[in-house]
Amino acid sequence: MTTWKDLDFDTDGIIDGLKPWIECESPTWDATAVDRMMDLVAMKCAELGATVERIPGVMGLGGSVRARFPHPKMGEPGIMITGHFDTVHPVGTLAKNPFRREGGKVYGPGIQDMKGGNYITLEAIRKIQEAGIETPLPIVALFTPDEEIGTPATRQLIETEAKRAKYVLCPEPAHPDNGVCTGRYAIARFNLAAEGKPSHAGANVKGGISAVRELAKRIIEIEEMTSEDCTFSCNNIHSGQWVNCVPSFASAECLSMAKEQADLDAGIERMLALTGERNGVRFAVTRGVTRPVWEPGLEGTMFLYEKARAISEELGFDMPHRSQGGGSDANFTGALGIPSLCSLGVKGDGLHTLNEHIDEDFIVPRTRMMAGMLTTLA
């Protein structure tokens, strides 16, 4: 009887298949680019015999792909794969980090976070089908376009699908030690806005009140609120275009992360309390999207972890687990109490940088481990 241990995965073939995905750049804010990527995904799923739905995007973002793979129990609670195809890399990043193989590594924007993990999941399904193995549970994959900005458009879609599932597997990047996530920290985002008084910066600089100056001071103060319990980081700073104007408006965003929900709630209170006027500048803090804590150690999650660990050990690799920062869409499914396991994707380094890459040696073991999960979970 053929099992997951007998499946014949090929590193070169997987890398070749990944190439067009990586070279289809798909930054979150470029809906057209993301939709081009989703076309490739929909085609791949259709080739595997899935019933494919293209779900239109909202909020100016790209659309989603939901694929239900053929199974006698289709429609019953089974395994949900949750993944995203948006990246943080703007179109043109390929010129700086082109798709290539060098020194046992495969490079390219989004290859680790998380196109590689999504691809090996579908490759696992392909090999399972070719071997004639019937998985104990039906499989549905939901691929979304907005994880990198906190999943503002598709959270409800993910949660609705997850409530139909028995288990959720998320092929986000593996940890450097081959580990997986059995919990995720809570995350909150904030919009910062400063409003000062304009004037001509050359003729009457003292007549204005700089919103940029005040925002800069506030950013330093906010980031200095960082502690072991709750962190704060600011970016995406904007102001006017004209250096000969004292800036009357400036904006930024802040991301806060905490291991415990209570610590994040306290951080949210501190942030919102900063709203007010100081030095003649009106300063406003408003809430953005929030990811809830996925509490570590939940019984269903640990069941999934033990399955994955046992499979990985059969392959000759230790697999530790931990609660982790960074956030993923498993925050939502785990917070709902649905057995979830994250970081089941490819191993590499440099995610969100121009050095993003995956390790060739771990492509097949990670693909085989996913196949093992899909064929043994019941």
Side-chain angles (χ1 to χ4, degrees):
M1 178 179 174
T2 303
T3 72
W4 62 269
K5 301 175 188 179
D6 303 312
L7 300 179
D8 181 25
F9 293 106
D10 176 59
T11 299
D12 292 339
I14 291 173
I15 292 172
D16 289 345
L18 255 177
K19 186 175 189 288
W21 281 24
I22 305 309
E23 292 184 341
C24 184
E25 296 175 285
S26 51
T28 314
W29 294 115
D30 189 333
T32 301
V34 173
D35 281 342
R36 284 196 296 267
M37 183 66 239
M38 290 301 190
D39 288 340
L40 295 178
V41 177
M43 177 60 77
K44 176 75 170 178
C45 293
E47 290 172 348
L48 298 177
T51 300
V52 178
E53 297 173 77
R54 286 297 306 268
I55 302 168
V58 295
M59 298 174 59
L61 300 169
S64 301
V65 170
R66 177 162 49 201
R68 301 189 188 279
F69 294 90
H71 195 278
K73 298 179 181 178
M74 187 183 292
E76 297 182 18
I79 299 171
M80 175 189 176
I81 306 297
T82 180
H84 68 89
F85 276 94
D86 60 315
T87 78
V88 301
H89 304 285
V91 171
T93 302
L94 277 170
K96 300 176 181 178
N97 185 23
F99 181 89
R100 66 199 187 280
R101 298 174 68 173
E102 290 179 358
K105 298 177 173 57
V106 189
Y107 291 82
I111 194 168
Q112 186 191 17
D113 188 11
M114 62 178 287
K115 293 182 180 182
N118 293 330
Y119 189 85
I120 66 168
T121 300
L122 296 181
E123 275 296 288
I125 293 172
R126 182 174 72 86
K127 286 293 187 177
I128 289 167
Q129 291 178 343
E130 289 179 354
I133 300 173
E134 184 176 287
T135 60
L137 296 173
I139 301 168
V140 58
L142 179 63
F143 298 120
T144 51
D146 59 339
E147 192 273 346
E148 294 294 0
I149 59 171
T151 321
T154 62
R155 174 177 178 173
Q156 185 173 346
L157 183 64
I158 292 166
E159 291 179 336
T160 299
E161 191 61 49
K163 290 174 183 176
R164 302 187 182 115
K166 188 173 183 180
Y167 306 114
V168 175
L169 304 180
C170 183
E172 286 273 8
H175 298 168
D177 58 2
N178 195 49
V180 292
C181 276
T182 50
R184 288 276 189 181
Y185 301 169
I187 300 175
R189 298 182 183 222
F190 303 91
N191 300 308
L192 317 178
E195 185 177 351
K197 178 182 177 183
S199 70
H200 192 295
N204 186 24
V205 68
K206 292 184 178 180
I209 303 175
S210 172
V212 168
R213 179 183 176 89
E214 181 63 22
L215 178 62
K217 292 179 180 179
R218 296 277 192 166
I219 287 173
I220 293 171
E221 293 167 7
I222 289 169
E223 294 200 345
E224 287 179 346
M225 287 163 41
T226 291
S227 68
E228 289 297 317
D229 298 322
C230 192
T231 63
F232 299 87
S233 178
C234 299
N235 203 344
N236 198 19
I237 300 167
H238 292 277
S239 183
Q241 301 180 61
W242 308 103
V243 72
N244 57 347
C245 297
V246 172
S248 60
F249 180 81
S251 65
E253 290 183 88
C254 177
L255 184 140
S256 180
M257 186 178 302
K259 298 179 182 178
E260 303 291 338
Q261 190 67 48
D263 293 326
L264 186 72
D265 292 342
I268 290 171
E269 286 188 23
R270 292 182 70 183
M271 285 294 296
L272 297 179
L274 295 176
T275 293
E277 185 168 331
R278 190 179 76 177
N279 300 324
V281 177
R282 289 188 292 275
F283 188 71
V285 179
T286 55
R287 283 279 297 275
V289 294
T290 302
R291 290 192 190 275
V293 164
W294 169 21
E295 296 288 352
L298 298 176
E299 182 179 356
T301 291
M302 296 312 296
F303 167 77
L304 289 177
Y305 166 67
E306 290 299 334
K307 292 279 289 185
R309 183 187 62 80
I311 293 170
S312 188
E313 287 186 352
E314 285 198 60
L315 296 171
F317 300 100
D318 292 333
M319 179 178 281
H321 75 96
R322 61 183 62 86
S323 181
Q324 180 79 14
S328 82
D329 289 332
N331 276 76
F332 305 132
T333 66
L336 288 172
I338 299 161
S340 304
L341 193 61
C342 192
S343 299
L344 290 167
V346 286
K347 179 178 172 294
D349 201 2
L351 71 165
H352 290 201
T353 76
L354 294 177
N355 189 46
E356 186 169 346
H357 63 268
I358 60 175
D359 298 333
E360 285 190 14
D361 290 346
F362 272 83
I363 292 175
V364 167
R366 277 275 164 159
T367 310
R368 195 178 300 281
M369 185 193 67
M370 179 61 78
M373 293 292 283
L374 296 176
T375 56
T376 59
L377 284 173

PDB file of all heavy atoms in Angstrom, residues 207-238:
ATOM      1  N   GLY A 207       6.319  81.542  11.173  1.00  0.00           N
ATOM      2  CA  GLY A 207       4.868  81.698  11.126  1.00  0.00           C
ATOM      3  C   GLY A 207       4.122  80.370  11.089  1.00  0.00           C
ATOM      4  O   GLY A 207       2.902  80.332  11.263  1.00  0.00           O
ATOM      5  N   GLY A 208       4.837  79.295  10.855  1.00  0.00           N
ATOM      6  CA  GLY A 208       4.195  77.983  10.787  1.00  0.00           C
ATOM      7  C   GLY A 208       4.530  77.118  11.988  1.00  0.00           C
ATOM      8  O   GLY A 208       5.403  77.453  12.806  1.00  0.00           O
ATOM      9  N   ILE A 209       3.812  76.015  12.101  1.00  0.00           N
ATOM     10  CA  ILE A 209       4.085  75.016  13.143  1.00  0.00           C
ATOM     11  C   ILE A 209       4.186  73.664  12.439  1.00  0.00           C
ATOM     12  O   ILE A 209       3.218  73.191  11.840  1.00  0.00           O
ATOM     13  CB  ILE A 209       2.981  74.975  14.211  1.00  0.00           C
ATOM     14  CG1 ILE A 209       2.805  76.352  14.849  1.00  0.00           C
ATOM     15  CG2 ILE A 209       3.302  73.928  15.275  1.00  0.00           C
ATOM     16  CD1 ILE A 209       1.643  76.421  15.836  1.00  0.00           C
ATOM     17  N   SER A 210       5.343  73.051  12.493  1.00  0.00           N
ATOM     18  CA  SER A 210       5.628  71.864  11.699  1.00  0.00           C
ATOM     19  C   SER A 210       4.968  70.608  12.264  1.00  0.00           C
ATOM     20  O   SER A 210       5.276  70.183  13.388  1.00  0.00           O
ATOM     21  CB  SER A 210       7.135  71.638  11.613  1.00  0.00           C
ATOM     22  OG  SER A 210       7.416  70.392  11.013  1.00  0.00           O
ATOM     23  N   ALA A 211       4.101  70.021  11.463  1.00  0.00           N
ATOM     24  CA  ALA A 211       3.506  68.736  11.842  1.00  0.00           C
ATOM     25  C   ALA A 211       4.555  67.626  11.801  1.00  0.00           C
ATOM     26  O   ALA A 211       4.495  66.687  12.601  1.00  0.00           O
ATOM     27  CB  ALA A 211       2.354  68.404  10.903  1.00  0.00           C
ATOM     28  N   VAL A 212       5.519  67.740  10.890  1.00  0.00           N
ATOM     29  CA  VAL A 212       6.572  66.729  10.785  1.00  0.00           C
ATOM     30  C   VAL A 212       7.423  66.694  12.043  1.00  0.00           C
ATOM     31  O   VAL A 212       7.751  65.624  12.574  1.00  0.00           O
ATOM     32  CB  VAL A 212       7.442  66.991   9.542  1.00  0.00           C
ATOM     33  CG1 VAL A 212       8.712  66.144   9.574  1.00  0.00           C
ATOM     34  CG2 VAL A 212       6.662  66.701   8.272  1.00  0.00           C
ATOM     35  N   ARG A 213       7.778  67.858  12.522  1.00  0.00           N
ATOM     36  CA  ARG A 213       8.615  67.928  13.726  1.00  0.00           C
ATOM     37  C   ARG A 213       7.925  67.267  14.914  1.00  0.00           C
ATOM     38  O   ARG A 213       8.525  66.480  15.648  1.00  0.00           O
ATOM     39  CB  ARG A 213       8.926  69.396  14.036  1.00  0.00           C
ATOM     40  CG  ARG A 213       9.771  69.629  15.289  1.00  0.00           C
ATOM     41  CD  ARG A 213       9.936  71.133  15.530  1.00  0.00           C
ATOM     42  NE  ARG A 213      10.644  71.408  16.761  1.00  0.00           N
ATOM     43  CZ  ARG A 213      11.967  71.509  16.865  1.00  0.00           C
ATOM     44  NH1 ARG A 213      12.717  71.350  15.780  1.00  0.00           N
ATOM     45  NH2 ARG A 213      12.530  71.771  18.025  1.00  0.00           N
ATOM     46  N   GLU A 214       6.642  67.580  15.083  1.00  0.00           N
ATOM     47  CA  GLU A 214       5.903  67.013  16.207  1.00  0.00           C
ATOM     48  C   GLU A 214       5.718  65.501  16.035  1.00  0.00           C
ATOM     49  O   GLU A 214       5.851  64.726  16.985  1.00  0.00           O
ATOM     50  CB  GLU A 214       4.546  67.697  16.367  1.00  0.00           C
ATOM     51  CG  GLU A 214       3.708  67.186  17.535  1.00  0.00           C
ATOM     52  CD  GLU A 214       4.350  67.411  18.892  1.00  0.00           C
ATOM     53  OE1 GLU A 214       5.222  68.293  19.029  1.00  0.00           O
ATOM     54  OE2 GLU A 214       3.968  66.678  19.831  1.00  0.00           O
ATOM     55  N   LEU A 215       5.426  65.080  14.802  1.00  0.00           N
ATOM     56  CA  LEU A 215       5.268  63.653  14.561  1.00  0.00           C
ATOM     57  C   LEU A 215       6.571  62.915  14.850  1.00  0.00           C
ATOM     58  O   LEU A 215       6.561  61.811  15.435  1.00  0.00           O
ATOM     59  CB  LEU A 215       4.833  63.393  13.120  1.00  0.00           C
ATOM     60  CG  LEU A 215       4.680  61.920  12.716  1.00  0.00           C
ATOM     61  CD1 LEU A 215       3.596  61.235  13.538  1.00  0.00           C
ATOM     62  CD2 LEU A 215       4.368  61.792  11.229  1.00  0.00           C
ATOM     63  N   ALA A 216       7.693  63.494  14.455  1.00  0.00           N
ATOM     64  CA  ALA A 216       8.988  62.862  14.719  1.00  0.00           C
ATOM     65  C   ALA A 216       9.208  62.666  16.212  1.00  0.00           C
ATOM     66  O   ALA A 216       9.680  61.612  16.665  1.00  0.00           O
ATOM     67  CB  ALA A 216      10.108  63.693  14.115  1.00  0.00           C
ATOM     68  N   LYS A 217       8.861  63.670  16.994  1.00  0.00           N
ATOM     69  CA  LYS A 217       9.002  63.542  18.448  1.00  0.00           C
ATOM     70  C   LYS A 217       8.085  62.449  18.981  1.00  0.00           C
ATOM     71  O   LYS A 217       8.473  61.642  19.837  1.00  0.00           O
ATOM     72  CB  LYS A 217       8.665  64.876  19.127  1.00  0.00           C
ATOM     73  CG  LYS A 217       9.667  65.987  18.862  1.00  0.00           C
ATOM     74  CD  LYS A 217       9.215  67.266  19.565  1.00  0.00           C
ATOM     75  CE  LYS A 217      10.198  68.402  19.334  1.00  0.00           C
ATOM     76  NZ  LYS A 217       9.745  69.668  19.991  1.00  0.00           N
ATOM     77  N   ARG A 218       6.873  62.411  18.466  1.00  0.00           N
ATOM     78  CA  ARG A 218       5.909  61.412  18.931  1.00  0.00           C
ATOM     79  C   ARG A 218       6.379  59.999  18.580  1.00  0.00           C
ATOM     80  O   ARG A 218       6.218  59.065  19.378  1.00  0.00           O
ATOM     81  CB  ARG A 218       4.550  61.678  18.291  1.00  0.00           C
ATOM     82  CG  ARG A 218       3.909  62.995  18.691  1.00  0.00           C
ATOM     83  CD  ARG A 218       3.179  62.882  20.004  1.00  0.00           C
ATOM     84  NE  ARG A 218       2.329  64.047  20.239  1.00  0.00           N
ATOM     85  CZ  ARG A 218       1.380  64.097  21.166  1.00  0.00           C
ATOM     86  NH1 ARG A 218       1.149  63.059  21.934  1.00  0.00           N
ATOM     87  NH2 ARG A 218       0.654  65.205  21.323  1.00  0.00           N
ATOM     88  N   ILE A 219       6.943  59.835  17.394  1.00  0.00           N
ATOM     89  CA  ILE A 219       7.406  58.504  16.988  1.00  0.00           C
ATOM     90  C   ILE A 219       8.490  58.002  17.931  1.00  0.00           C
ATOM     91  O   ILE A 219       8.488  56.832  18.356  1.00  0.00           O
ATOM     92  CB  ILE A 219       7.911  58.532  15.534  1.00  0.00           C
ATOM     93  CG1 ILE A 219       6.717  58.643  14.576  1.00  0.00           C
ATOM     94  CG2 ILE A 219       8.741  57.295  15.218  1.00  0.00           C
ATOM     95  CD1 ILE A 219       7.106  58.839  13.134  1.00  0.00           C
ATOM     96  N   ILE A 220       9.434  58.878  18.280  1.00  0.00           N
ATOM     97  CA  ILE A 220      10.481  58.488  19.221  1.00  0.00           C
ATOM     98  C   ILE A 220       9.869  58.078  20.558  1.00  0.00           C
ATOM     99  O   ILE A 220      10.225  57.042  21.143  1.00  0.00           O
ATOM    100  CB  ILE A 220      11.490  59.632  19.405  1.00  0.00           C
ATOM    101  CG1 ILE A 220      12.260  59.864  18.104  1.00  0.00           C
ATOM    102  CG2 ILE A 220      12.448  59.318  20.558  1.00  0.00           C
ATOM    103  CD1 ILE A 220      13.123  61.103  18.106  1.00  0.00           C
ATOM    104  N   GLU A 221       8.908  58.868  21.041  1.00  0.00           N
ATOM    105  CA  GLU A 221       8.271  58.562  22.319  1.00  0.00           C
ATOM    106  C   GLU A 221       7.496  57.243  22.256  1.00  0.00           C
ATOM    107  O   GLU A 221       7.521  56.444  23.201  1.00  0.00           O
ATOM    108  CB  GLU A 221       7.326  59.706  22.711  1.00  0.00           C
ATOM    109  CG  GLU A 221       8.057  60.993  23.028  1.00  0.00           C
ATOM    110  CD  GLU A 221       7.119  62.199  23.106  1.00  0.00           C
ATOM    111  OE1 GLU A 221       5.887  61.993  23.047  1.00  0.00           O
ATOM    112  OE2 GLU A 221       7.628  63.321  23.216  1.00  0.00           O
ATOM    113  N   ILE A 222       6.814  57.015  21.135  1.00  0.00           N
ATOM    114  CA  ILE A 222       6.042  55.778  20.990  1.00  0.00           C
ATOM    115  C   ILE A 222       6.967  54.567  20.973  1.00  0.00           C
ATOM    116  O   ILE A 222       6.728  53.581  21.685  1.00  0.00           O
ATOM    117  CB  ILE A 222       5.188  55.838  19.705  1.00  0.00           C
ATOM    118  CG1 ILE A 222       4.039  56.829  19.879  1.00  0.00           C
ATOM    119  CG2 ILE A 222       4.655  54.451  19.342  1.00  0.00           C
ATOM    120  CD1 ILE A 222       3.317  57.157  18.589  1.00  0.00           C
ATOM    121  N   GLU A 223       8.028  54.619  20.192  1.00  0.00           N
ATOM    122  CA  GLU A 223       8.916  53.465  20.121  1.00  0.00           C
ATOM    123  C   GLU A 223       9.647  53.232  21.434  1.00  0.00           C
ATOM    124  O   GLU A 223       9.998  52.088  21.761  1.00  0.00           O
ATOM    125  CB  GLU A 223       9.894  53.628  18.958  1.00  0.00           C
ATOM    126  CG  GLU A 223       9.197  53.610  17.606  1.00  0.00           C
ATOM    127  CD  GLU A 223      10.108  53.298  16.449  1.00  0.00           C
ATOM    128  OE1 GLU A 223      11.340  53.366  16.636  1.00  0.00           O
ATOM    129  OE2 GLU A 223       9.596  52.961  15.355  1.00  0.00           O
ATOM    130  N   GLU A 224       9.846  54.282  22.215  1.00  0.00           N
ATOM    131  CA  GLU A 224      10.471  54.114  23.525  1.00  0.00           C
ATOM    132  C   GLU A 224       9.511  53.516  24.556  1.00  0.00           C
ATOM    133  O   GLU A 224       9.933  53.175  25.672  1.00  0.00           O
ATOM    134  CB  GLU A 224      11.034  55.446  24.018  1.00  0.00           C
ATOM    135  CG  GLU A 224      12.291  55.863  23.253  1.00  0.00           C
ATOM    136  CD  GLU A 224      12.867  57.193  23.703  1.00  0.00           C
ATOM    137  OE1 GLU A 224      12.155  57.938  24.437  1.00  0.00           O
ATOM    138  OE2 GLU A 224      14.019  57.492  23.341  1.00  0.00           O
ATOM    139  N   MET A 225       8.242  53.360  24.193  1.00  0.00           N
ATOM    140  CA  MET A 225       7.297  52.649  25.053  1.00  0.00           C
ATOM    141  C   MET A 225       7.502  51.137  24.984  1.00  0.00           C
ATOM    142  O   MET A 225       6.916  50.380  25.760  1.00  0.00           O
ATOM    143  CB  MET A 225       5.860  52.981  24.629  1.00  0.00           C
ATOM    144  CG  MET A 225       5.414  54.390  25.003  1.00  0.00           C
ATOM    145  SD  MET A 225       3.911  54.983  24.106  1.00  0.00           S
ATOM    146  CE  MET A 225       2.853  53.544  24.101  1.00  0.00           C
ATOM    147  N   THR A 226       8.333  50.677  24.067  1.00  0.00           N
ATOM    148  CA  THR A 226       8.559  49.239  23.895  1.00  0.00           C
ATOM    149  C   THR A 226       9.121  48.617  25.163  1.00  0.00           C
ATOM    150  O   THR A 226      10.048  49.145  25.783  1.00  0.00           O
ATOM    151  CB  THR A 226       9.522  48.987  22.720  1.00  0.00           C
ATOM    152  OG1 THR A 226       8.857  49.330  21.507  1.00  0.00           O
ATOM    153  CG2 THR A 226       9.942  47.523  22.653  1.00  0.00           C
ATOM    154  N   SER A 227       8.540  47.479  25.535  1.00  0.00           N
ATOM    155  CA  SER A 227       9.005  46.710  26.692  1.00  0.00           C
ATOM    156  C   SER A 227       9.040  45.237  26.312  1.00  0.00           C
ATOM    157  O   SER A 227       8.720  44.853  25.190  1.00  0.00           O
ATOM    158  CB  SER A 227       8.056  46.925  27.873  1.00  0.00           C
ATOM    159  OG  SER A 227       6.788  46.340  27.602  1.00  0.00           O
ATOM    160  N   GLU A 228       9.414  44.393  27.267  1.00  0.00           N
ATOM    161  CA  GLU A 228       9.406  42.956  27.026  1.00  0.00           C
ATOM    162  C   GLU A 228       7.992  42.440  26.788  1.00  0.00           C
ATOM    163  O   GLU A 228       7.797  41.407  26.152  1.00  0.00           O
ATOM    164  CB  GLU A 228      10.041  42.216  28.211  1.00  0.00           C
ATOM    165  CG  GLU A 228      11.534  42.403  28.334  1.00  0.00           C
ATOM    166  CD  GLU A 228      12.289  41.855  27.139  1.00  0.00           C
ATOM    167  OE1 GLU A 228      11.950  40.749  26.675  1.00  0.00           O
ATOM    168  OE2 GLU A 228      13.211  42.536  26.657  1.00  0.00           O
ATOM    169  N   ASP A 229       7.001  43.158  27.311  1.00  0.00           N
ATOM    170  CA  ASP A 229       5.614  42.706  27.220  1.00  0.00           C
ATOM    171  C   ASP A 229       4.890  43.204  25.983  1.00  0.00           C
ATOM    172  O   ASP A 229       3.954  42.554  25.505  1.00  0.00           O
ATOM    173  CB  ASP A 229       4.832  43.157  28.466  1.00  0.00           C
ATOM    174  CG  ASP A 229       5.382  42.556  29.735  1.00  0.00           C
ATOM    175  OD1 ASP A 229       5.791  41.377  29.701  1.00  0.00           O
ATOM    176  OD2 ASP A 229       5.421  43.256  30.759  1.00  0.00           O
ATOM    177  N   CYS A 230       5.314  44.355  25.467  1.00  0.00           N
ATOM    178  CA  CYS A 230       4.586  44.958  24.351  1.00  0.00           C
ATOM    179  C   CYS A 230       5.542  45.832  23.545  1.00  0.00           C
ATOM    180  O   CYS A 230       6.256  46.673  24.122  1.00  0.00           O
ATOM    181  CB  CYS A 230       3.417  45.798  24.880  1.00  0.00           C
ATOM    182  SG  CYS A 230       2.231  46.334  23.637  1.00  0.00           S
ATOM    183  N   THR A 231       5.571  45.631  22.235  1.00  0.00           N
ATOM    184  CA  THR A 231       6.491  46.381  21.383  1.00  0.00           C
ATOM    185  C   THR A 231       5.731  47.371  20.500  1.00  0.00           C
ATOM    186  O   THR A 231       4.547  47.185  20.208  1.00  0.00           O
ATOM    187  CB  THR A 231       7.303  45.433  20.483  1.00  0.00           C
ATOM    188  OG1 THR A 231       6.398  44.745  19.599  1.00  0.00           O
ATOM    189  CG2 THR A 231       8.068  44.419  21.316  1.00  0.00           C
ATOM    190  N   PHE A 232       6.440  48.412  20.060  1.00  0.00           N
ATOM    191  CA  PHE A 232       5.872  49.444  19.198  1.00  0.00           C
ATOM    192  C   PHE A 232       6.889  49.794  18.118  1.00  0.00           C
ATOM    193  O   PHE A 232       8.056  50.050  18.414  1.00  0.00           O
ATOM    194  CB  PHE A 232       5.535  50.708  20.002  1.00  0.00           C
ATOM    195  CG  PHE A 232       4.533  50.491  21.095  1.00  0.00           C
ATOM    196  CD1 PHE A 232       4.952  50.074  22.359  1.00  0.00           C
ATOM    197  CD2 PHE A 232       3.181  50.683  20.866  1.00  0.00           C
ATOM    198  CE1 PHE A 232       4.029  49.867  23.372  1.00  0.00           C
ATOM    199  CE2 PHE A 232       2.251  50.480  21.877  1.00  0.00           C
ATOM    200  CZ  PHE A 232       2.678  50.064  23.135  1.00  0.00           C
ATOM    201  N   SER A 233       6.444  49.814  16.862  1.00  0.00           N
ATOM    202  CA  SER A 233       7.320  50.149  15.748  1.00  0.00           C
ATOM    203  C   SER A 233       6.552  50.992  14.743  1.00  0.00           C
ATOM    204  O   SER A 233       5.423  50.649  14.368  1.00  0.00           O
ATOM    205  CB  SER A 233       7.828  48.865  15.075  1.00  0.00           C
ATOM    206  OG  SER A 233       8.638  49.179  13.958  1.00  0.00           O
ATOM    207  N   CYS A 234       7.155  52.110  14.290  1.00  0.00           N
ATOM    208  CA  CYS A 234       6.486  53.045  13.378  1.00  0.00           C
ATOM    209  C   CYS A 234       7.147  53.035  12.002  1.00  0.00           C
ATOM    210  O   CYS A 234       8.359  52.861  11.875  1.00  0.00           O
ATOM    211  CB  CYS A 234       6.517  54.463  13.947  1.00  0.00           C
ATOM    212  SG  CYS A 234       5.663  54.639  15.533  1.00  0.00           S
ATOM    213  N   ASN A 235       6.300  53.261  10.980  1.00  0.00           N
ATOM    214  CA  ASN A 235       6.803  53.310   9.607  1.00  0.00           C
ATOM    215  C   ASN A 235       5.735  53.968   8.734  1.00  0.00           C
ATOM    216  O   ASN A 235       4.732  54.475   9.234  1.00  0.00           O
ATOM    217  CB  ASN A 235       7.132  51.902   9.106  1.00  0.00           C
ATOM    218  CG  ASN A 235       8.135  51.910   7.957  1.00  0.00           C
ATOM    219  OD1 ASN A 235       8.377  52.928   7.320  1.00  0.00           O
ATOM    220  ND2 ASN A 235       8.720  50.756   7.680  1.00  0.00           N
ATOM    221  N   ASN A 236       5.978  53.939   7.426  1.00  0.00           N
ATOM    222  CA  ASN A 236       5.029  54.473   6.445  1.00  0.00           C
ATOM    223  C   ASN A 236       4.719  55.946   6.723  1.00  0.00           C
ATOM    224  O   ASN A 236       3.565  56.364   6.843  1.00  0.00           O
ATOM    225  CB  ASN A 236       3.731  53.648   6.446  1.00  0.00           C
ATOM    226  CG  ASN A 236       2.912  53.862   5.190  1.00  0.00           C
ATOM    227  OD1 ASN A 236       3.430  54.321   4.175  1.00  0.00           O
ATOM    228  ND2 ASN A 236       1.630  53.553   5.260  1.00  0.00           N
ATOM    229  N   ILE A 237       5.773  56.727   6.802  1.00  0.00           N
ATOM    230  CA  ILE A 237       5.663  58.143   7.153  1.00  0.00           C
ATOM    231  C   ILE A 237       5.435  58.966   5.881  1.00  0.00           C
ATOM    232  O   ILE A 237       6.110  58.780   4.865  1.00  0.00           O
ATOM    233  CB  ILE A 237       6.936  58.613   7.876  1.00  0.00           C
ATOM    234  CG1 ILE A 237       7.129  57.785   9.153  1.00  0.00           C
ATOM    235  CG2 ILE A 237       6.866  60.092   8.202  1.00  0.00           C
ATOM    236  CD1 ILE A 237       8.489  57.937   9.773  1.00  0.00           C
ATOM    237  N   HIS A 238       4.476  59.903   5.951  1.00  0.00           N
ATOM    238  CA  HIS A 238       4.147  60.739   4.801  1.00  0.00           C
ATOM    239  C   HIS A 238       3.954  62.194   5.223  1.00  0.00           C
ATOM    240  O   HIS A 238       3.534  62.478   6.351  1.00  0.00           O
ATOM    241  CB  HIS A 238       2.864  60.254   4.121  1.00  0.00           C
ATOM    242  CG  HIS A 238       3.013  58.927   3.449  1.00  0.00           C
ATOM    243  ND1 HIS A 238       3.540  58.776   2.184  1.00  0.00           N
ATOM    244  CD2 HIS A 238       2.710  57.680   3.880  1.00  0.00           C
ATOM    245  CE1 HIS A 238       3.561  57.493   1.865  1.00  0.00           C
ATOM    246  NE2 HIS A 238       3.055  56.811   2.866  1.00  0.00           N
TER     247      HIS A 238
END
